[in-house]
Amino acid sequence: MKKLLSTLIFLLVIALIQLAAQNRVYTPNLISPENEALGVVPDIILNWQAVSGIHGEVTYDAQLDTDPAFSNPVTFNTNLSGAQMEDLIFGQQYYWRVRAIDGPDISDWSVVWSFTVLNTMKLLKPANFKIDQAPDVELGWTGITGADYYDIQIDTSYYWKNRSGITSVDINDVALISETEAWLVGNSGLLLHYAGDSFEIVLDTLTDKNLNAVSITAGGGFGAAVGDDGTVVYWEGTEWDIEPASGITEDLQCVAFLANDNGWAGGLGGALYHFDGSVWNDAGTSFSDDIYGMYFVDENNGWIVGKGGFIAYWNGTEWTEQSSPITRDITDVSFIADNYGWACSKGGKLIHYDGFEWTEATSGITKDLTSIAFLTPTLGYAIGIEGNLLEYDGINWFTSTIGFQTDYYAIRFFGGDMGFATGKSGTIMKYDLGGFVTPGNIISVPGNEVLKKMQYLLFGEVYAWRIRARHATDTSGWSQAWSFTTQAAPELQKPAEDAADLGMFEKFEWKKITGVVDYTLEMDTDPAFSAPLIYISETNSDSIEFYHFGETMYWRVRANHLKDHSDWSAVRMFTNIDIVYLDLPQNGAINQIDKPTLSWDAISGVDFYEVLYDTLPDMINPCCQEIIDAPKSNYKIGWALRAGKTYYWKVRAIKGVDTTQYSEKWSFTVAGPQGIQEISEQNLNMYPNPSNGYIYLDYNAQQSTTLQVYVLDLVGQILMEQEVTFSEGSNTRKLDLNNLSNGIYILRFQNGEQHFSRKINLFK
C-alpha cells in the first residue's frame, strides 16, 4: 500500500513539472493581409486572432522585417489583435509574425506570412486615348491610404512620338538594324527605310504583294521580307532583290534570319521553310495549323506559334509541338533566353514559358494582341488592336498608352532606347527616352484627394500623364502612363451650315468648352476672313445685329485662355433674309371678313414693315400703304372692304436705309352679300375654243349676277382677273385675251364660295 501511494505521488510531481514547463497561452493565428498578398497599402493593419489567458490581459508582440529570418525586425507590442503600420516602403516585400504574452507565459511565434506593398497607382479618368478634352480636364486615380501626397506628371513630351503620314498603307513589321537604322514593310510591297531620323520609301517596288514580316541579321548584312503568295524579297546589305525565287506558294506570315545561310519562314496551313543560303527547303513537318509568329534565341532554340494555341519548339535538330494553356490564335512570340519567353494572342491572352512549361498570365484586357517584345525579364511590351498597349514590370502587366489609338501590328526594339510600333494606314510610333522632360511638369496633390482639375492646358495637344505616391520615408514608382487629347477647336452648333433667311438679329452658338476664358467670333463676307468683324464672348454664344438684307457671310470661332488659344473652328456660311414671307389670309382665300388681319413671318432685328394692298393686281399705285413698327408682324385693316371684291397685298421689311424685297403678291376675296345666287356651269356657254384672242360668254342668269373670272396657267398662276356682270336673263359678254401668249389656259369662274373651271386653247 505504501509502495502504491509513493508511485502516485511521484506521477503527480512529474505531471506538475511538465505542466509548468508548457506555455499556458496559445499561439495566435494570422488573419490579414493574407499570405503573399500583393499591392498592399503602406499603412496596412496586421490582424490576427485574439487568444485568451489566465493571468489577466493578454498582450502581443508583432514583428515585421524584410528578411524572412527576422535578422533586424521591428517589434510592435500591443494589447489589441492588430497593429497599424505606417510609411512602409513601396514595392517592398515584408515578413511578419505574432506571439501572445500572458503574464509569465509566452506563446510560440506564429507562422510567418509575407505581403508586398504596392509600387504603382491605378489611373481612372479620363480614359486612355480620350479625345476632345477641355483644357481644365479632371484627372482621377485610385487612391490609397498611407500616402501623404500624390505627384501628377503631365506632359506633351512622351516616350512614343507619332511619325505617321509617310504612307497610307498598313505597316506590318519592322526590323531594327541599329539605333539609327530600320526597315519597315507593309501592304502592296511597301519597303520603308529609316536612317538617321528620316524615312524614305523604296520607289522601285519589287512586288505589289503584301509584305507581312521582315528579319535582318545582326549588323544588317542579310535578311528578307516575306508576304502573300510565298513572296520573298531579300536584303543583301545594300539593296533589296527578289531573286532567288522562293518556290513557295503559301502566304508567309513570319520570318527569322540568324545568319546569311540560316533563315526560317512560316505561314498559312502550317507552311514552314528553311533557307540554307541558296534555296528554301520544306521543313518536312506535319503541322497543319497556320503559323503567325516565330522567334529564335539561337540556332538551337526556336519557337513558332499560330492558330488555335499552336506552339512548336526547335532544338537544333527537329521541331516538336508543345502543350499550350490556351486555344486562342497565338499571334507573336518573344524570348530573351531559352528558359524565358512570352507569347500573345487574340482575346488579350498572354502566356509565359519558364523553360519547362507554358502558363497563362493575367493581361487585364480582352482585345486582340498582335505583337510582343521583351527587352529584359522585367521589361516587356504587348500591343494590339485599338491601341491597346501592355507593359510588364517583372511582376504584373499594366495598361499603358502609346499616345495614338489605332490597330497596331508590330512592336520592335533595339536595346532599350529605341523602338517602333507600326500598324494600320501607315501608323508609325517611334520610341525613345525623351519623354516627360518638360520642366515643371509635376503637380503635387494632398494624399486625401484622388481628383485634380487641370488648368490652361494647351489646345489640340496629346498629353501623357502618370502618378506616384509619397509619404515621409519613400516614394512609389510611377504608374503606367495614359494619354488624352485636348480639344483643338470649338464645334459650331447654330445656325446650321448654309443657313438661309437669317434675321437681322441672330444668336450664334457653339459647344461649350470648360476652362476657357472667352471666345473670339469672326464674321466676314470673304471666306478667307480678310477684313473680319470681331466679337468677344464670355459664353458659348453671341447675339449679332446685321444691317444689310440678303448678305452672304462666313463665321468661325476660337477659344482662348491665359496660356493658349485654340484653332479656328470649321467655317460656316449663312445668308440674311431678303424677302418677307406672308402668312394669312392664305393666297387665293375667299369669303373673308371685310376687316381682315394681314400677317406675315416676323424677321428679328428689323425696324418697320411696309404693307401695301389694292384691288388692282398690278399694284403700281396701290390705294393703301401702312407702316407697322416691328416687332409686330401683322396689320388689321381698319375699315370695311368691299363685299365680293378681290384684294392684293404684299409686305417688305425696313432696317435703317435698307429694305428687303417685297414679298410675293397674295390675294384674298371678301365675302359677298347674303343671298348670292347659285351659279350653274350648265347655264354658261363659252366660245370659240380654240380662241383667236377673244372669248364670248353666254350666261342665262336667274337674277343679276357678278362673276369673278380668273385666267390661270397650267401651274395655277393667276395671269388675268376680271369682273363680269350678267343681268337677269340671257347675256353675252366678251373677254379680251390678246395680251396672253398662245397656249392652254384655265378659266376659273367664281361667285363667293361657288366656282367652276373651263379649259381653253388660245391660238391667235
Side-chain angles (χ1 to χ4, degrees), residues 8 110 113 148 155 346 417 554 563 665 730:
L8 291 175
S110 68
W113 278 12
D148 296 333
D155 209 329
K346 291 184 176 180
D417 297 343
Y554 302 85
K563 293 186 178 180
K665 179 181 64 178
S730 182

Side-chain angles (χ1 to χ4, degrees), residues 507-660:
K507 189 173 185 179
F508 291 76
E509 296 182 2
W510 50 93
K511 284 188 177 180
K512 183 178 181 180
I513 304 175
T514 60
V516 167
V517 173
D518 56 36
Y519 302 88
T520 302
L521 185 152
E522 285 190 347
M523 289 191 178
D524 202 336
T525 56
D526 177 10
F529 295 89
S530 56
L533 299 171
I534 299 175
Y535 305 87
I536 304 297
S537 175
E538 294 183 358
T539 63
N540 60 315
S541 67
D542 204 354
S543 296
I544 310 298
E545 186 174 14
F546 302 100
Y547 296 93
H548 300 287
F549 293 104
E551 191 167 48
T552 296
M553 298 190 73
Y554 302 85
W555 69 291
R556 62 184 183 181
V557 176
R558 75 179 182 191
N560 313 296
H561 59 58
L562 299 183
K563 293 186 178 180
D564 195 20
H565 60 74
S566 74
D567 294 338
W568 287 107
S569 68
V571 176
R572 283 189 179 180
M573 182 187 76
F574 66 90
T575 304
N576 294 121
I577 196 166
D578 194 33
I579 192 170
V580 176
Y581 293 101
L582 304 184
D583 186 20
L584 293 172
Q586 294 182 357
N587 191 24
I590 61 174
N591 202 27
Q592 299 298 297
I593 62 174
D594 58 4
K595 293 181 181 180
T597 296
L598 310 179
S599 64
W600 53 91
D601 292 346
I603 301 175
S604 64
V606 302
D607 299 329
F608 311 101
Y609 297 97
E610 180 186 53
V611 182
L612 303 180
Y613 61 101
D614 198 356
T615 57
L616 299 176
D618 57 26
M619 301 188 74
I620 296 175
N621 293 302
C623 67
C624 302
Q625 178 183 24
E626 301 291 341
I627 300 297
I628 309 301
D629 290 335
K632 187 177 180 182
S633 59
N634 60 73
Y635 168 66
K636 182 173 178 60
I637 297 175
W639 54 86
L641 302 180
R642 290 170 53 190
K645 191 66 178 174
T646 298
Y647 286 83
Y648 303 87
W649 64 294
K650 60 185 179 181
V651 180
R652 69 177 178 181
I654 302 168
K655 182 175 181 64
V657 297
D658 197 15
T659 69
T660 65

Side-chain angles (χ1 to χ4, degrees), residues 122-145:
K122 291 184 179 180
L123 308 183
L124 292 181
K125 69 172 189 176
N128 198 16
F129 296 120
K130 196 75 172 177
I131 63 172
D132 290 337
Q133 298 301 287
D136 65 344
V137 60
E138 188 172 63
L139 308 181
W141 57 93
T142 300
I144 62 169
T145 59

